[in-house]
Amino acid sequence: MVLLRISSEYKDIKEIINILDKITPKNSVLQLINPKYVVSERQIGIAFKKAKEAFKDGYNKSNSIQNELLLWICAEKHVSKAIKKAGAHNTKDFFLFYEGKTEVNKILKEIKAKKKKLVFTPDLKALGIDKKLLKDYPLEDLVLEKMAVSYLER
């Protein structure tokens, strides 16, 4: 599993998605993620594990593991809402999640992207987390709990 914070020279995220659709092997998982929804590498790793389990056990809500990953990341029940929320929008700042055999540097070259420092800058409002809760609980724990509750509400 690779998680990178990157910036691309492209102006439109749809251009990047079109390129990635052409070069990503079928057995790979690649997703572009809005930084507002990323708290930690652990969060994304757990979301990916849960997305794979959903497909294996037949309780997936999406027709692709990439979109199932977004459902878990933002604890959403509807694919279209998950894409709008947790899918990347800004070509200058997004996370690239990748699980596959293609060299990640080749992917970065194809989408004219550069690695940025792996810093997490989640947005509490976007995540639906009350700032007051941070006095008593770590943000990552709150987000993981929200993911778990979203599973129970499926």
Side-chain angles (χ1 to χ4, degrees):
M1 176 186 107
V2 176
L3 182 67
L4 301 172
R5 192 157 189 172
I6 62 174
S7 174
S8 173
E9 293 177 19
Y10 284 98
K11 303 285 185 222
D12 187 350
I13 203 77
K14 290 177 184 173
E15 288 180 276
I16 296 170
I17 292 168
N18 288 335
I19 292 166
L20 293 173
D21 284 345
K22 291 174 188 170
I23 67 165
T24 305
K26 288 194 186 274
N27 58 347
S28 299
V29 177
L30 192 146
Q31 185 57 274
L32 309 180
I33 307 167
N34 184 338
K36 290 181 179 184
Y37 289 87
V38 181
V39 173
S40 67
E41 286 184 81
R42 181 172 172 240
Q43 171 213 7
I44 302 304
I46 290 170
F48 181 54
K49 179 181 176 194
K50 292 299 185 183
K52 288 192 301 187
E53 285 175 10
F55 271 85
K56 180 180 164 251
D57 296 340
Y59 59 87
N60 53 297
K61 293 279 187 183
S62 171
N63 62 356
S64 75
I65 197 157
Q66 289 86 343
N67 288 338
E68 194 73 20
L69 176 63
L70 290 180
L71 286 168
W72 282 96
I73 289 170
C74 67
E76 182 56 64
K77 295 180 203 102
H78 304 285
V79 176
S80 60
K81 288 182 181 178
I83 292 168
K84 284 180 187 171
K85 288 180 177 182
H89 305 292
N90 180 353
T91 63
K92 300 302 174 207
D93 186 24
F94 59 97
F95 280 95
L96 180 135
F97 171 87
Y98 181 67
E99 175 90 359
K101 295 184 194 256
T102 303
E103 176 65 36
V104 75
N105 286 330
K106 180 182 176 195
I107 294 168
L108 295 177
K109 184 177 177 182
E110 289 287 336
I111 62 171
K112 299 179 184 176
K114 291 186 173 126
K115 294 178 192 176
K116 298 174 76 171
K117 187 174 179 182
L118 189 63
V119 176
F120 302 100
T121 54
D123 182 311
L124 294 179
K125 185 176 179 182
L127 291 166
I129 303 289
D130 186 340
K131 190 176 185 177
K132 294 174 191 170
L133 291 171
L134 296 176
K135 279 190 314 189
D136 300 315
Y137 307 99
L139 178 58
E140 183 183 59
D141 289 355
L142 294 168
V143 170
L144 294 176
E145 179 181 6
K146 195 168 183 164
M147 287 168 50
V149 169
S150 78
Y151 164 73
L152 295 173
E153 293 175 344
R154 286 177 168 225

